[in-house]
Amino acid sequence: MLDIIKAGPQTTVQDLGRFGARHLGICRCGAMDALSLRLANRLVGNSAGAAALEITLPPASFRLRRDGMLALTGADCQATLDDQPLWPGWRVRFNAGQILKLSAPRVGMRAYLAIDGGFAIPEALGSASTDLQAGFGGWEGRALKDGDSLPLRPPLPPRRKIGIWQPPASGPIRVVPGPEFSRLPAQQQERFWRSPWLITPNSNRMGYRLSGPALQLAGGGDMPSHGVLPGLIQLPPDGQPIALMADAQATGGYPRLGMVIAADLWRLGQARLGSALHFQAVDARAETAAAQTLQRYLDRIERLLDEN
């Protein structure tokens, strides 16, 4: 078992998400930073998409009630195990009864905690991810609360301590222009790429509401409802874009300014409320190259962990 001593503002069970159910109006959910979830799981010997904890803006603390291995990835939360420092991106052994604490992150927004063997969380529609809007999946369909206890599967054979390099989440977010982007006047197109976009407090796992210079499409913005996906940047009537995130709804009717490339979605998931984003225009060829670079990184990590 893993006891939740202090859950923090929002700690949820997440995996890589729920696929194949959007036609039912069910959103994907899953980790906001899927790369960090993959890394945490692989460090402890789990499958890359196993359920882990997504810990948003700690402080948070947990009691580990069996021996095993754990890994923390994503945001650097100055974690300690029985008051001994833990570094993000490392696999460490723990003993039953030890206390894991995470403090406010120095860098990033979300930390991911994986434990060898994984959490014994039943899947709903093929995923253990928590759907906070619909109230199902994960642990009782909700964010964790102080006093919860999550069941763990049996531990895996112990391995030696090891760490990996996590790529930085900073830098511009690369975007492929969307179908309605060309309807922005040229001056506003320039503003979209050159302006800093503040992530407002009215943001969540469904979408980041951005604040910056108002944008308006030529000929108005009305259009039929259409399917939407995480990463899509929409333009509502107030002229302030919304970047859809992991819990994005299945359909929407706002014009589509662009799509964050898949290789950068994890970096967007680590962007903090109140911080500013910059977008960079890329084409499909650059998007493919970025995906290949990310895959090569993951392949190197897999080889390293297989050898250790």
Side-chain angles (χ1 to χ4, degrees), residues 1 8-9 83 91 128 131 144 167 204 215 217 235-236 252 257 261 297:
M1 301 291 283
D83 298 324
R91 158 176 91 204
D131 188 327
L144 300 181
N204 53 33
L215 305 175
L217 297 179
L235 185 63
L257 292 186
I261 66 171
Y297 165 76

Side-chain angles (χ1 to χ4, degrees), residues 10-296:
Q10 188 176 83
T11 297
T12 56
V13 176
Q14 300 292 345
D15 56 18
L16 291 180
R18 190 167 284 110
F19 295 87
R22 295 187 76 80
H23 65 290
L24 302 174
I26 295 172
C27 64
R28 189 194 73 186
C29 302
M32 292 278 278
D33 174 357
L35 176 62
S36 291
L37 180 133
R38 287 174 181 269
L39 295 177
N41 275 318
R42 295 302 297 125
L43 274 164
V44 297
N46 296 344
S47 64
L53 296 191
E54 179 180 274
I55 307 161
T56 302
L57 286 177
S61 58
F62 311 91
R63 180 182 294 105
L64 301 144
R65 292 177 53 190
R66 67 156 167 81
D67 298 347
M69 298 178 294
L70 66 83
L72 282 168
T73 57
D76 179 358
C77 297
Q78 309 172 70
T80 61
L81 185 62
D82 275 0
D83 298 324
Q84 296 300 308
L86 292 182
W87 295 100
W90 282 78
R91 158 176 91 204
V92 298
R93 297 184 66 176
F94 63 85
N95 299 317
Q98 289 193 290
I99 304 295
L100 173 67
K101 293 181 179 178
L102 285 74
S103 300
R106 290 182 289 205
V107 177
M109 177 85 168
R110 297 175 170 87
Y112 291 84
L113 170 63
I115 295 178
D116 64 319
F119 293 90
I121 303 291
E123 293 187 349
L125 295 174
S127 170
S129 285
T130 310
D131 188 327
L132 293 172
Q133 303 300 319
F136 74 97
W139 188 247
E140 299 181 353
R142 58 170 171 78
L144 300 181
K145 300 186 297 189
D146 299 355
D148 284 341
S149 291
L150 271 59
L152 298 175
R153 299 187 192 282
L156 301 176
R159 299 181 181 185
R160 70 181 179 88
K161 183 177 181 180
I162 193 173
I164 59 172
W165 174 78
Q166 298 185 93
S170 58
I173 301 296
R174 291 168 287 186
V175 172
V176 176
E180 284 73 57
F181 184 79
S182 60
R183 289 172 52 195
L184 284 177
Q187 188 179 45
Q188 295 193 27
Q189 291 184 14
E190 194 71 11
R191 287 177 186 164
F192 179 76
W193 300 120
R194 291 187 176 278
S195 300
W197 292 97
L198 187 72
I199 304 175
T200 70
N202 190 22
S203 299
N204 53 33
R205 284 181 48 91
M206 289 186 69
Y208 282 176
R209 290 186 174 271
L210 307 178
S211 176
L215 305 175
Q216 296 296 330
L217 297 179
D222 294 337
M223 59 182 298
S225 185
H226 49 264
V228 299
L229 292 168
L232 183 67
I233 301 175
Q234 298 179 305
L235 185 63
D238 66 0
Q240 302 294 291
I242 301 172
L244 299 184
M245 303 301 288
D247 287 2
Q249 69 279 12
T251 62
Y254 294 145
R256 302 153 293 186
L257 292 186
M259 190 76 181
V260 176
I261 66 171
D264 281 4
L265 271 178
W266 72 271
R267 297 201 295 117
L268 191 57
Q270 287 293 354
R272 299 177 65 151
L273 304 185
S275 66
L277 297 174
H278 282 85
F279 295 123
Q280 176 185 350
V282 295
D283 58 16
R285 180 176 298 182
E287 180 181 25
T288 300
Q292 292 171 339
T293 298
L294 182 62
Q295 188 58 54
R296 284 195 293 272

